[in-house]
Amino acid sequence: MPMRRLDCGVLGPTPIDQLHIPDGTTVKEHDVVADSDVLIGAQSQLRLGVRGHNVVAGERVSVDGDIEAAGDCRLDMWCEVTGNVLVEGDAYVGERTHITERLVVGGDLDIGDDVDIEEGFEASGWIVIRNPMPTLTFFVMYLTHLLRLGEAEDAQELVEELAADSDRGPLTIPQSASVSDDAWRVSTPATIGDDCRLHGNIRATEIDVGRGNNVFGSLRAQNDVTVGAGTKIHGDVTTRNGSVHVQGDAVVLGDVSGHDVTIDEAADVDGVIRARGEMRVGSVADRDAE
């Protein structure tokens, strides 16, 4: 059947305004693996492959590895993929995108002008050569659905199909981010869910890490940093201007420093604790009683 195209109104700036890593996300064999959708802001550089449900990348995103999408995949113009793009659903590839290996699509393929796929492509469904809907438009529609603000019937229908795992929220990588085995660098806040296993230092304006994570790297922020109960940080936890809170039975295998520092009684810090302001060590019950 023919692929649908939607009319869109006036758009504001990209709504992907933070790094959000949902529950259960892992880094395996140089791939970021999420059980959710993956949204990548424009001009971001990923020195890793990506595996997710629906994978959506903005303009001039580069991915050093394969992209594997269990649902649909949407690449905006001027994207660069050093590897294969394997899609079980439909694929939308913007003009002047470059894929160094193969593009394999289980559904329909909507492809723009001057796309370079070095080892060829195949699609089980329809192939339409035209310029697909800009990914920024798709971002706005997608996140409008997640926030339950959408009123356009056609947009709601499309995005509901592409948001099968929206309860936990997508993995979102903001504009101009840099992600590699060495570091996740963003100029926005960063939120990490529960039960994630990540490689690389986390650099953000503020960082909130959930419970039961294993982070093989350090945390450094300009503002507040929170380390959830049962999380293990293999590195330092530092902030330039904010406070640090190490909760529950979290473990930090490094130094902790901030303006105000709070360490729960059951937490373990294997390093030096530095506080320019107030330092508190005790149980949650002790603090609530004060």
Side-chain angles (χ1 to χ4, degrees), residues 221-224 238-243 258-260 276:
Q222 298 173 0
N223 301 311
D224 294 349
T238 61
T239 174
R240 181 184 304 172
N241 302 314
S243 301
H259 186 272
D260 297 328
R276 297 183 296 278

Side-chain angles (χ1 to χ4, degrees), residues 62-122:
S62 65
V63 177
D64 288 351
D66 293 344
I67 294 177
E68 298 182 32
D72 293 352
C73 180
R74 183 179 294 270
L75 305 177
D76 210 338
M77 63 176 63
W78 296 101
C79 284
E80 180 85 21
V81 180
T82 307
N84 297 292
V85 177
L86 310 175
V87 185
E88 293 188 21
D90 298 336
Y92 309 78
V93 181
E95 63 183 24
R96 294 178 173 83
T97 288
H98 178 210
I99 299 170
T100 64
E101 297 187 25
R102 289 185 59 78
L103 170 64
V104 180
V105 181
D108 297 336
L109 172 60
D110 198 348
I111 191 167
D113 295 330
D114 297 326
V115 171
D116 182 12
I117 304 170
E118 293 188 11
E119 297 189 11
F121 66 90
E122 59 184 81

Side-chain angles (χ1 to χ4, degrees), residues 40-50 57-67 75-83 97-98 173 176-180:
I40 307 169
Q43 302 178 48
S44 291
Q45 295 185 342
L46 278 67
R47 306 299 183 193
L48 298 165
V50 177
E59 183 177 324
R60 296 183 185 274
V61 166
S62 65
V63 177
D64 288 351
D66 293 344
I67 294 177
L75 305 177
D76 210 338
M77 63 176 63
W78 296 101
C79 284
E80 180 85 21
V81 180
T82 307
T97 288
H98 178 210
I173 298 174
S176 301
S178 175
V179 177
S180 68

Side-chain angles (χ1 to χ4, degrees), residues 19 22 27 46 58 71 85 105 112 117 121 136 156 175 197 218 247 263 267 278 282:
L19 172 65
V27 175
L46 278 67
V85 177
V105 181
I117 304 170
F121 66 90
L136 177 57
Q156 190 81 357
Q175 178 174 326
R197 181 182 176 89
S218 61
Q247 299 178 342
I263 309 294
E278 183 180 14

